[in-house]
Amino acid sequence: METLSVREARRLALARAGLLTPEPTGLPRFARGRGPTAFAAAQAVIERFGYLQLDTVSVAGARSHTIVLLSRLEGLDPSVGERLLRPGASLFEYWGHEASWIPLALYPALEFRRREFKAHPWWGDMVGSQPKVAKELLRRIRDNGPLRSVEMEGRASKGWWDLSVTKRVASALWSSGELAIRERNNFQRTYDLAERVIPEPLRRQPLSTADGLEALLLAALDGHGWATTGTLAATWRLRNRKADLAAALRRLQEKGAIVACGLESEEGPPKAGWIRPADRELAARLLRARPRAESGVLLSPFDPLLWDRLRVARLFGFEAMLEIFKPAPQRVYGYYCLPVLAGEKLVARVDLKADRRNGRLRVLSAHYEKADRATAKRDRVATRAALDRYAQALGLRVG
């Protein structure tokens, strides 16, 4: 089995993530404004990972999916991140890593999930338990056109148009593929029939489970560079599929699409994983890279680079933490901390709150990783640069 050093795997991960400056990553670095070029650049980022995870929290001035784009596309208007899903876009919304925007090309690969989600993953068989609600909802959308989630609201005590029940049924019909999300405005979903949102060729040519898994695993590896089987499975929440995943990886290996590759460790034998042949060559070349450490960038806590905490610890020696759900007295760093990437290292994390009324981005706390005096000074410079870049994108000033 081939092996990678931690430095090779880390730099490869950053390059595939579009974050290894000034090295070429194959992704755009600038996306001025909010025109067609900006939307195309955002689409390119999503296609690299195969998904863009959605999240509602906006306390830092932008939601996670927008922060992911801002960290890679300097000059991007933040409004682009909220308007990507719209009629004609090359994206659809579905269960990926979590609820995500996903390139349309992967729609056939998720057919097995739409079959499995005939029963909603959270609420069970909502359609079977509420057949009248489901039938009326589908009729209303079919006859009257797309329906915003806010238009489902009504008096909770009035029959079938109960707010919680109807929205759950709509989500169940979306999970099973009968409905699709046509667009989002102000983060509110607009539902429509899948046949009016998803192009017919993609709906008519679903992939088998085996082929779908292969496509998803390749998409995950495209974004990660090197990854363990566990990370690849977690990218798409592929639970309870150990045998299917092993078979799919074996087929990909036999086709020459991937090779087995271990991550070197000082504590024992290499950690087994996978890499694409072209990325193995790229990793070797990146050993000569000189990442720019003085210009930092803020990362969303849900960034594709960060959600796998064990992977982050292996590659960066950084403890990724999400403390949103902890009571305030139990938090170590803060409610919604954004890690700071400087060069190839995660050097700090900042807890932010956007104060739009006063035009400020408030730094509630800043915690730096241990470093010697010279490095610590550089890390603070990089963190300030990251804060200034982010604040400028939001039209705010730090303070």
Side-chain angles (χ1 to χ4, degrees):
M1 181 173 63
E2 295 189 42
T3 61
L4 282 181
S5 69
V6 170
R7 172 171 284 187
E8 284 179 303
R10 179 173 61 243
R11 291 185 171 187
L12 177 61
L14 289 169
R16 297 309 299 166
L19 291 168
L20 191 66
T21 57
E23 303 302 319
T25 65
L27 290 176
R29 286 217 172 93
F30 301 93
R32 303 297 183 194
R34 53 186 177 186
T37 301
F39 278 90
Q43 178 80 24
V45 172
I46 299 173
E47 288 178 351
R48 171 63 59 86
F49 296 113
Y51 68 96
L52 180 61
Q53 181 181 342
L54 304 176
D55 190 70
T56 61
V57 178
S58 59
V59 65
R63 297 183 178 92
S64 174
H65 42 284
T66 296
I67 297 173
V68 169
L69 298 175
L70 292 176
S71 67
R72 290 153 173 84
L73 302 172
E74 194 165 356
L76 182 75
D77 189 304
S79 67
V80 172
E82 297 297 327
R83 295 166 47 223
L84 285 172
L85 189 68
R86 64 201 192 283
S90 297
L91 299 170
F92 71 105
E93 184 170 326
Y94 196 59
W95 297 109
H97 179 67
E98 297 291 350
S100 304
W101 289 337
I102 302 172
L104 269 174
L106 285 176
Y107 186 85
L110 287 160
E111 176 65 19
F112 73 91
R113 178 157 291 168
R114 290 187 288 274
R115 289 196 306 267
E116 292 174 352
F117 284 4
K118 292 291 184 182
H120 193 278
W122 296 349
W123 304 312
D125 188 9
M126 287 297 301
V127 175
S129 64
Q130 300 288 338
K132 292 183 179 179
V133 176
K135 182 178 180 180
E136 178 60 18
L137 182 59
L138 287 169
R139 184 208 61 77
R140 183 178 179 184
I141 293 175
R142 184 181 303 109
D143 294 347
N144 300 335
L147 183 66
R148 296 181 300 160
S149 56
V150 70
E151 293 171 332
M152 297 179 189
E153 298 180 5
R155 294 184 180 179
S157 60
K158 291 285 186 177
W160 81 274
W161 203 245
D162 178 273
L163 172 60
S164 59
V165 170
T166 303
K167 286 193 173 181
R168 288 186 179 193
V169 169
S171 182
L173 290 168
W174 164 67
S175 296
S176 68
E178 291 185 73
L179 292 180
I181 298 171
R182 184 179 183 84
E183 60 185 320
R184 277 189 184 257
N185 287 304
N186 297 321
F187 211 60
Q188 288 290 319
R189 290 172 166 178
T190 296
Y191 290 95
D192 201 351
L193 301 179
E195 63 200 58
R196 299 200 293 231
V197 176
I198 307 300
E200 183 177 2
L202 297 177
R203 290 186 292 106
R204 300 302 183 192
Q205 298 180 0
L207 295 182
S208 66
T209 299
D211 289 342
L213 289 176
E214 288 187 28
L216 295 178
L217 290 170
L218 283 176
L221 203 54
D222 195 29
H224 291 305
W226 172 89
T228 64
T229 299
T231 294
L232 296 177
T235 301
W236 297 104
R237 301 299 191 211
L238 299 171
R239 300 182 179 94
N240 302 318
R241 290 186 173 276
K242 186 175 181 179
D244 289 342
L245 288 171
L249 290 166
R250 184 171 59 251
R251 291 193 300 272
L252 290 172
Q253 187 177 20
E254 291 169 352
K255 295 174 184 177
I258 64 174
V259 295
C261 183
L263 180 68
E264 295 172 4
S265 170
E266 297 179 355
E267 301 174 353
K271 181 66 177 178
W274 303 93
I275 195 170
R276 302 180 309 167
D279 281 342
R280 181 63 189 92
E281 298 174 6
L282 174 60
R285 294 198 303 272
L286 290 175
L287 281 176
R288 301 189 295 272
R290 294 185 177 182
R292 187 180 298 144
E294 68 277 5
S295 181
V297 63
L298 299 182
L299 301 180
S300 161
F302 300 108
D303 193 285
L305 189 71
L306 297 178
W307 55 256
D308 188 331
R309 297 183 184 183
L310 184 56
R311 174 182 168 86
V312 173
R314 285 191 184 116
L315 299 188
F316 295 91
F318 184 87
E319 184 183 10
M321 295 181 67
L322 183 64
E323 301 183 283
I324 290 176
F325 303 109
K326 289 184 179 180
Q330 297 179 20
R331 293 175 193 144
V332 177
Y333 299 109
Y335 175 74
Y336 194 78
C337 281
L338 280 68
V340 180
L341 175 69
E344 63 180 304
K345 296 181 179 180
L346 294 166
V347 301
R349 63 193 93 201
V350 291
D351 190 22
L352 304 178
K353 184 174 183 179
D355 179 2
R356 296 269 183 196
R357 178 176 296 180
N358 295 300
R360 294 180 179 274
L361 180 67
R362 301 200 179 279
V363 182
L364 304 181
S365 69
H367 294 84
Y368 295 87
E369 297 296 286
K370 292 182 180 180
D372 58 44
R373 181 175 298 180
T375 302
K377 181 178 180 180
R378 187 180 63 194
D379 292 347
R380 281 164 169 76
V381 171
T383 299
R384 180 65 199 212
L387 288 167
D388 286 341
R389 170 177 162 175
Y390 180 67
Q392 183 178 10
L394 299 180
L396 304 174
R397 63 184 184 280
V398 180

